[in-house]
Amino acid sequence: FKQPSFESRTIDTNKMATASMQRIRELLRDHPSPIIKDGNIEFDSDNQALWIPCTQLTDYKSRRGAGDWYTADSIVFLAIHGDIPFRDYAEKCRAAGVSRVQVIDRDEILSYVRFKADGASGLVAGGAAAQVAPQASSHALDVRDSQLTDSKLTTATLATEAVTEKVPTDKKAEVSGNSVAAVPRKDLKREADDISAAGH
């Protein structure tokens, strides 16, 4: 069984730089009409420092913290279209190719990004990057423990082989740990002589 590499379980590094909800709501407050195009959210078309990649993960988990991370475009798209009926909003998401926000999170997210609330149940400090780090540490410990175990097994095997190598062939069964005890050559000859004498 091959242990999957830690790299295969990490989130894409482009998405690990979390777009914080605090940052997004401040940008929405200062630039209330962002444009979503070419894979970016442009809060100010003339200032690329105020652009956020659409697929960048936020620090908000869907289903009030029990689901997946929302991407920046999902949050911003809701902020832009949050005042229309949810069914119409969902249709707009489909047409724009943006993942919609869950209905259970809608009001809470809108309250947060519009500064009507200072917290929300789906907010997770540090976002996705903060939760990847413990996996790295855990993987490192798994690798270390595996290496220590392999080292101990190798040491024990070498020790057994060294002892076995020094023992005469007829006594190796004793070293190998088998239940059959080895009998020295002299004892075998004496036993054969005794049987032969008893036969006469």
Side-chain angles (χ1 to χ4, degrees):
F1 175 73
K2 185 178 180 180
Q3 176 74 17
S5 66
F6 168 67
E7 288 73 19
S8 67
R9 292 183 282 130
T10 59
I11 296 171
D12 181 45
T13 52
N14 185 45
K15 298 181 180 181
M16 280 183 64
T18 304
S20 75
M21 291 288 288
Q22 177 65 29
R23 171 70 170 154
I24 288 174
R25 73 174 185 163
E26 288 173 355
L27 287 170
L28 285 168
R29 177 194 60 200
D30 300 337
H31 307 275
S33 301
I35 299 171
I36 299 176
K37 71 174 186 179
D38 300 329
N40 289 304
I41 305 165
E42 300 179 11
F43 291 93
D44 183 341
S45 298
D46 297 325
N47 186 357
Q48 290 191 16
L50 300 181
W51 294 10
I52 296 177
C54 290
T55 57
Q56 194 162 58
L57 301 179
T58 68
D59 52 359
Y60 199 105
K61 274 194 164 187
S62 65
R63 300 185 185 280
R64 295 185 176 176
D68 297 325
W69 301 102
Y70 280 126
T71 52
D73 60 348
S74 293
I75 299 298
V76 172
F77 201 80
L78 175 68
I80 297 171
H81 302 289
D83 293 324
I84 63 177
F86 192 82
R87 186 185 295 274
D88 295 339
Y89 155 73
E91 286 295 333
K92 283 184 174 293
C93 286
R94 238 186 318 272
V98 176
S99 298
R100 69 175 176 82
V101 163
Q102 299 291 324
V103 65
I104 193 175
D105 299 320
R106 176 183 176 275
D107 292 342
E108 203 172 54
I109 290 175
L110 286 174
S111 293
Y112 183 77
V113 298
R114 292 173 178 176
F115 287 88
K116 293 180 179 179
D118 290 326
S121 57
L123 283 172
V124 180
Q131 296 201 351
V132 170
Q135 291 182 10
S137 299
S138 175
H139 177 70
L141 288 174
D142 289 344
V143 170
R144 187 197 66 181
D145 290 345
S146 176
Q147 290 174 341
L148 286 174
T149 300
D150 291 344
S151 176
K152 289 177 182 177
L153 288 174
T154 301
T155 301
T157 302
L158 289 174
T160 300
E161 290 176 352
V163 172
T164 304
E165 197 64 33
K166 294 178 180 180
V167 177
T169 304
D170 57 348
K171 283 188 176 280
K172 283 186 179 179
E174 199 172 276
V175 175
S176 67
N178 294 334
S179 58
V180 179
V183 181
R185 289 192 181 91
K186 290 182 179 179
D187 292 343
L188 287 172
K189 184 176 184 307
R190 186 182 300 116
E191 185 176 351
D193 292 341
D194 291 343
I195 292 172
S196 177
H200 296 290

